[in-house]
Amino acid sequence: MRNRRPLMIAGSLSILAAALIAFASTGSARAAGAADARLELSRSLGLLHAGNISAARRHAQAAIKADPGWGLAHAVLARIYLALEDGVAAEGELGRARDAGFDIERAHQLYAHAWLLQGDPKRAIAEAGKAEPRFAGYALRVGARALAAQGDLPGAQQTLARLLAVAPRDSAAWSDLGRVRYTSGDTAGAIDAATRAIALDGNNIEALTLRGELVRGQYGLVAALPWFEAALKHDAYYHPALIEYAATLGDAGRYADMLEATRHALAARPGSPQAFYLQAVLAARAGNYDLSRSLMERTAGKLDGLPGAMLLGGVLSYQAGAYEQAIEQWRGLVGRQPMNLSVRRLLATALLRSGDAKSALDVLRPIALRGDADSYTLSLVARAFERTGERDWSSRFLDRAAWPAHGGSTPFGTDDSLPVLGNAANDAPDDPVLRLDYLRGLIDAGDTGAALGQAQALARDHPGAPAAQLALGDVLMVMKRYGDAATAYARAADARFDEPTMLRAVDALDRGGRRQEAANVLALFLSQNPQSIAGQRLAAHWQIAGGDWDTAIDTLEGLRGQIGNRDGALLAELAYAYIGDDDPDTGLVYARAAYRLAPMNPVATDAYGWALYQQGNTGPALQLLEKAASIAPEHSVLRWHLGQAYADLGRKAEAVSQIKAALADPGFDDRNAAIAALKALGTPIA
């Protein structure tokens, strides 16, 4: 889709304007209305130059209405349709221009663009090669986009580089280069190209839209909105900007504004599949799956190959009980995005529902073997093993699912052998994907030295690609070089500050003892991406650790509104927050609900016990607190809570043992209170 953006005005506009002036000076007789036609076409060209393509179309149509036999007016309207991404309408107008006497030798580049928009890049390249020299810039841009559409991104960049070598002030060429670089993963290079395009021509609404997309990844959702709004100030019905604007508004939680933007997009392009898709997403988020399904049907299958549509289509099929259809769509998406953990979980859930437990285990295996596997995935694995009759393995994964602390995260592994990965990388040294696969294989094999060398070379060869910097940071994290990893993640964040980059940066800074810097990074991310569930969870956890109870409650209640009441960890944290805010009654309600959902989860168990303890029910509380500490004896907060309960019951020796165990953890936050408790028990601090 990114390769089908409208080409902006350049050399062809000046030639069309010159032809218009020449025509006006001939003084040849025309039918009534010829003067009006010239005026309307002049206005159309001016608006096209100013970036108001929709208004330019109206005036070009008015010119044709005033003088239907004027070939130049049809040619201008064809050019406008190309800017609006309507290749079929453009080809039709070119035919009318030819029939009206327009010299079709001047239109090879226009035909090439029309055929590219119709999905025929091979034919577009051949036609662009026939363009007259004065239209060479336009023709080269069409050719570059056609190469990109065929997957030849290096060839597209080389073509645009040749053009910019002779026309360095060609704004449209710079925006095309930015789009190609963005598609190839060179985010920093794309930012530079888009910035240059706008500096050369502030009316280049394609470049403004591209800059908005780049800012969305670089700084966040909120920061991107003004760029889309700037494009829409030029042309309120510019469809590409409306679609990106609507999607960004939705991700930022501004659903009413998102709906309005999609309606404008449908007014600009009736039947827009992108607009219907976004409306379907909005309906699904509201739980109206019937409406969402109806809206997806109106896309007429034109977006079926896009990841977002595949994901939503699977959700709608699953909600309707059509598990095989959901499996088909999600399996295809996992094939295209093997590292998408969320889709793997969804696919495994559908496979379990369909009775195929073995396939569910195959899908979940790469996640379940990770040290940081989440409890939901581990529970799914346990259910799958139970379905296959392997109850011993089911019990093991149920135990892991109940564990509150996970191992450190590692890069996503690969099933291919290291020699196979190495040979593939050596055979295609310019393919960063194969080099990343080899790097992951080295990490899996424990060869961190070689992995670091590969990661450093990858980052050096692709300095503008965030993925290369993230790979370097991941290797450094495995080596426990947290400060260096944080630096690598910061370089990645300069170009793309998305959720995975934020989480990596925060983790590296926190493990490196730089909690305040980590908190600043998290706060900056949430200011731009307020709907991020992972970001809000982390913020709430730190707010509780810092005793900022009111803020923690606000954050967690907002999260509960987003994800519902079936998340035991969330309910347990709400219990802690309310208890800390001197509201143990509300805390007990949440703690009991958390324990009911996950009775073997030590954090939920401790929250229930801690809530009872705060109400003075020390006896029942002690049983729960002891159970929690026995499940997770290395968890310092659980030992600290149990120590306080023992102290209240006069069991001094046991209290001292538990409190000292909590203090032995360097990451234990409530140290001053624990030390004071030991002093109150008459125990010296060792």
Side-chain angles (χ1 to χ4, degrees):
M1 297 296 292
R2 287 175 176 154
N3 292 327
R4 295 192 175 189
R5 299 288 184 183
L7 293 168
M8 297 305 294
I9 306 306
S12 60
L13 179 59
S14 61
I15 292 184
L16 287 172
L20 178 58
I21 294 170
F23 172 83
S25 66
T26 62
S28 60
R30 281 194 178 274
D36 289 341
R38 291 195 298 273
L39 178 61
E40 291 292 349
L41 198 60
S42 177
R43 289 173 176 168
S44 176
L45 289 167
L47 288 164
L48 190 58
H49 179 71
N52 193 341
I53 305 170
S54 300
R57 176 181 55 186
R58 291 195 299 273
H59 285 282
Q61 289 169 333
I64 291 171
K65 184 177 181 181
D67 188 355
W70 192 12
L72 180 61
H74 287 287
V76 170
L77 182 56
R79 180 64 186 85
I80 292 168
Y81 276 128
L82 292 172
L84 293 171
E85 298 183 300
D86 192 341
V88 174
E91 186 176 1
E93 286 300 325
L94 287 171
R96 296 181 188 95
R98 179 195 59 223
D99 294 342
F102 183 78
D103 182 5
I104 214 64
E105 289 299 313
R106 297 165 54 191
H108 290 297
Q109 70 284 354
L110 300 178
Y111 273 111
H113 191 184
W115 292 332
L116 174 60
L117 290 173
Q118 293 176 53
D120 194 347
K122 185 176 180 180
R123 189 182 183 193
I125 291 172
E127 188 67 18
K130 302 175 185 177
E132 294 181 358
R134 52 180 169 166
F135 303 121
Y138 192 150
L140 282 170
R141 293 200 305 277
V142 173
R145 291 202 170 194
L147 288 171
Q150 292 179 323
D152 186 2
L153 298 173
Q157 293 197 55
Q158 291 167 11
T159 299
L160 291 167
R162 289 199 305 271
L163 171 58
L164 287 166
V166 297
R169 299 189 61 78
D170 189 332
S171 173
W174 279 112
S175 59
D176 283 352
L177 180 60
R179 179 65 63 183
V180 174
R181 284 176 172 174
Y182 188 26
T183 303
S184 66
D186 183 4
T187 308
I191 291 169
D192 176 67
T195 302
R196 292 187 184 215
I198 295 168
L200 290 167
D201 181 4
N203 295 326
N204 186 337
I205 58 175
E206 181 189 5
L208 290 169
T209 303
L210 174 60
R211 191 70 182 97
E213 295 176 59
L214 293 165
V215 167
R216 184 171 56 198
Q218 186 180 16
Y219 297 116
L221 300 169
V222 178
L225 293 173
W227 289 97
F228 299 129
E229 290 163 356
L232 294 171
K233 282 181 181 178
H234 287 275
D235 184 350
Y237 290 92
Y238 181 53
H239 183 264
L242 283 167
I243 292 300
E244 296 296 343
Y245 188 46
T248 307
L249 287 167
D251 288 342
R254 292 171 54 180
Y255 300 126
D257 293 334
M258 173 189 180
L259 181 59
E260 182 180 1
T262 60
R263 287 171 174 164
H264 277 102
L266 285 167
R269 185 176 298 176
S272 165
Q274 296 93 338
F276 283 133
Y277 162 69
L278 290 175
Q279 290 183 352
V281 170
L282 193 56
R285 286 176 179 172
N288 193 338
Y289 297 108
D290 288 338
L291 175 58
S292 181
R293 196 172 293 108
S294 174
L295 289 165
M296 280 301 292
E297 288 174 358
R298 299 182 72 177
T299 66
K302 294 180 180 178
L303 304 180
D304 286 355
L306 296 181
M310 294 171 71
L311 176 61
L312 178 59
V315 169
L316 296 177
S317 297
Y318 185 87
Q319 288 292 330
Y323 302 125
E324 291 301 326
Q325 293 180 30
I327 289 168
E328 181 181 356
Q329 294 184 75
W330 287 338
R331 195 188 296 278
L333 187 51
V334 167
R336 294 171 59 177
Q337 299 179 348
M339 298 181 198
N340 190 325
L341 307 189
S342 298
V343 179
R344 281 184 176 269
R345 295 186 193 101
L346 289 170
L347 175 57
T349 303
L351 287 165
L352 278 175
R353 279 294 186 97
S354 71
D356 190 352
K358 185 177 183 304
S359 293
L361 287 171
D362 291 340
V363 169
L364 291 173
R365 179 177 176 273
I367 315 176
L369 294 180
R370 290 167 60 97
D372 62 342
D374 61 284
S375 60
Y376 179 69
T377 297
L378 296 171
S379 298
L380 284 176
V381 171
R383 286 168 51 195
F385 274 123
E386 186 176 1
R387 298 275 182 89
T388 62
E390 299 170 273
R391 295 186 178 277
D392 53 339
W393 281 103
S394 177
S395 299
R396 294 183 191 181
F397 279 93
L398 281 175
D399 290 343
R400 281 188 64 196
W403 213 255
H406 305 298
S409 61
T410 59
F412 207 96
T414 176
D415 292 330
D416 290 328
S417 67
L418 192 58
V420 170
L421 295 171
N423 289 335
N426 290 331
D427 291 342
D430 294 330
D431 189 331
V433 175
L434 294 177
R435 292 175 66 181
L436 276 173
D437 289 342
Y438 179 47
L439 191 156
R440 295 189 188 99
L442 289 169
I443 293 175
D444 287 347
D447 192 349
T448 54
L452 179 59
Q454 285 290 323
Q456 289 171 331
L458 190 66
R460 184 174 57 251
D461 294 343
H462 302 275
Q469 300 297 334
L470 291 176
L472 175 58
D474 289 346
V475 176
L476 292 166
M477 286 292 287
V478 171
M479 300 175 72
K480 301 188 186 306
R481 292 172 53 179
Y482 303 125
D484 292 335
T487 300
Y489 292 145
R491 285 196 295 267
D494 285 341
R496 189 181 69 203
F497 189 42
D498 57 5
E499 187 172 278
T501 305
M502 177 275 293
L503 291 172
R504 283 173 162 93
V506 166
D507 187 31
L509 289 167
D510 193 31
R511 289 172 183 261
R514 297 154 64 181
R515 169 65 66 88
Q516 186 56 54
E517 291 179 62
N520 291 340
V521 171
L522 176 59
L524 176 61
F525 180 81
L526 283 173
S527 71
Q528 293 293 323
N529 304 274
Q531 297 293 104
S532 168
I533 291 175
Q536 290 177 85
R537 278 186 181 278
L538 184 55
H541 184 74
W542 284 357
Q543 288 157 1
I544 289 173
D548 190 359
W549 310 114
D550 285 340
T551 306
I553 289 170
D554 289 342
T555 302
L556 291 166
E557 288 289 10
L559 261 177
R560 189 169 68 91
Q562 282 182 254
I563 64 178
N565 295 310
R566 302 293 299 173
D567 189 307
L570 171 62
L571 297 179
E573 293 227 295
L574 266 168
Y576 288 133
Y578 275 109
I579 293 168
D581 201 41
D582 296 325
D583 187 358
D585 293 338
T586 303
L588 180 60
V589 172
Y590 282 116
R592 186 182 291 119
Y595 184 71
R596 190 180 298 117
L597 285 171
M600 289 304 295
N601 184 300
V603 174
T605 304
D606 177 78
Y608 192 18
W610 189 241
L612 290 170
Y613 171 75
Q614 293 297 321
Q615 289 192 326
N617 297 323
T618 308
L622 184 61
Q623 296 178 30
L624 290 164
L625 295 174
E626 287 177 332
K627 175 183 174 181
S630 68
I631 296 173
E634 79 296 339
H635 198 302
S636 56
V637 173
L638 308 190
R639 303 288 286 268
W640 165 230
H641 287 169
L642 180 58
Q644 292 176 78
Y646 280 143
D648 278 0
L649 291 171
R651 296 164 63 170
K652 177 180 175 180
E654 292 165 295
V656 169
S657 174
Q658 295 296 328
I659 295 171
K660 283 187 173 182
L663 285 168
D665 178 7
F668 178 55
D669 290 321
D670 211 0
R671 307 189 74 80
N672 292 335
I675 290 170
L678 283 180
K679 289 181 178 177
L681 290 168
T683 300
I685 310 300

